[in-house]
């Protein structure tokens, strides 16, 4: 399983709509947090090994109505 974090910049007034749609309709989206700074949301996503990260971001996340821009972080190891 591959974990990625995607920072999302939304159209003005659309952050909550984007967050709800992502968490309810995209099974790979585990959590969505509203954040401060240049981006409005941070999404934690779990992708099956071998799933193309670029296609997931471009075809699933960037097509949500209200998404303006994304920045993807790929993780290597989780420490508990």
């Amino acid at each position: 399983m591959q974990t990625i974090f995607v920072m999302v910049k939304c159209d003005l007034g659309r952050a909550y709509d984007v967050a709800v749609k992502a968490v309810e309709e995209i099974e790979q989206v585990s959590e969505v947090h509203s954040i401060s700074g240049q981006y409005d949301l941070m999404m934690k996503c779990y992708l099956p090994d071998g799933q193309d990260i670029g296609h997931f971001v471009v075809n699933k996340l960037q097509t949500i109505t209200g998404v303006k821009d994304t920045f993807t972080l790929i993780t290597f190891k989780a420490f508990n």
Side-chain angles (χ1 to χ4, degrees), residues 18-27 29-32:
V18 169
V20 168
K21 183 166 181 126
V23 84
E24 288 183 351
E25 297 184 12
I26 302 174
E27 68 179 274
V29 176
S30 168
E31 305 169 26
V32 179

Side-chain angles (χ1 to χ4, degrees), residues 8-65:
V8 180
K9 191 178 294 185
C10 301
D11 291 328
L12 291 177
R14 298 301 308 266
Y16 280 56
D17 296 334
V18 169
V20 168
K21 183 166 181 126
V23 84
E24 288 183 351
E25 297 184 12
I26 302 174
E27 68 179 274
Q28 297 92 333
V29 176
S30 168
E31 305 169 26
V32 179
H33 297 263
S34 60
I35 58 174
S36 63
Q38 287 185 309
Y39 291 87
D40 303 303
L41 303 171
M42 181 172 60
M43 299 183 182
K44 184 177 185 180
C45 306
Y46 293 107
L47 306 180
D49 289 332
Q51 183 172 355
D52 188 297
I53 294 168
H55 281 140
F56 171 74
V57 172
V58 169
N59 296 325
K60 293 284 190 175
L61 300 182
Q62 290 181 352
T63 58
I64 298 172
T65 302

